[in-house]
Each structure stands twice: as structure tokens, then as C-alpha cells.
Amino acid sequence: AEPNPAIDMLDKLSYKHYLQQVSELLEKDEGFKKNLEESNATSDDFETGNIAKHLEFVAHNVRTKLDELKRVEVDRLHQVARKEAELRETAEPGTENKRLPDDFF
């Protein structure tokens, strides 16, 4: 079965929301913000993960909050994967590749 475009869009929106939270948090750190401006970082650097090379300049309290955001996002991804695995295990023959129902999110 083909992936459900609506579910794929929800996954992307959830991840975009996570990236937005990370970006907003990092912008509150003046030292980090200055470092980004000096390095000409772009929004693509956030989406591709290239921003990680600058994280050593983040204040400790911001880093702690980033770690918590990441933990929440990883938990969300684990829940999605677990639900998809459960659906595959209980699926009728021939429907094993279906994704989560639209109302899961």
C-alpha cells in the first residue's frame, strides 16, 4: 500500500513545529545568536542539522531546554513507530504496509 499523503504532511508539520521551537529557543541566547549572525547561518542550516556545529556556544540553561525538546520529539517519534508496528502486527493480510489512521494525530 502507498503512504498516506495526509499522514506524511502531519509528520512534516510536527517536525517543523519542533524545529520552530528549537529556533525560537536558540534565538533567546544572545551569544549564540551573535555567533549565528557572524557565521551567516540560514534557516536551511536548521532543517539540515548543520546548525549543530554551533551548539557548543549555547548557554547551559538553553542547552538543557534543547535537550528536553529533543527528548519530547524522540518520544513522539517512538510512539508513532510503536503504533505503526502494532497496526502491522494486527493488520489483515495484504494491509501490512498501511500507515497510521488520520485520526491518530
Side-chain angles (χ1 to χ4, degrees), residues 89-105:
E89 289 174 7
T90 60
E92 295 178 20
T95 62
E96 298 84 8
N97 292 324
K98 287 194 176 179
R99 303 262 335 250
L100 289 173
D102 291 343
D103 63 351
F104 175 75
F105 297 94

Side-chain angles (χ1 to χ4, degrees), residues 39-92:
S39 68
N40 296 319
T42 66
S43 61
D44 286 342
D45 290 328
F46 280 92
E47 291 183 21
T48 61
N50 289 334
I51 205 72
K53 63 185 174 188
H54 300 282
L55 290 178
E56 66 187 74
F57 302 107
V58 174
H60 178 72
N61 65 325
V62 173
R63 183 59 187 228
T64 301
K65 291 176 184 176
L66 285 172
D67 290 344
E68 180 59 24
L69 283 175
K70 182 178 180 179
R71 194 170 16 263
V72 169
E73 177 63 8
V74 169
D75 285 346
R76 183 189 72 80
L77 293 172
H78 283 157
Q79 288 177 351
V80 169
R82 235 184 336 269
K83 281 291 186 188
E84 286 180 340
E86 288 173 13
L87 286 175
R88 278 193 300 276
E89 289 174 7
T90 60
E92 295 178 20

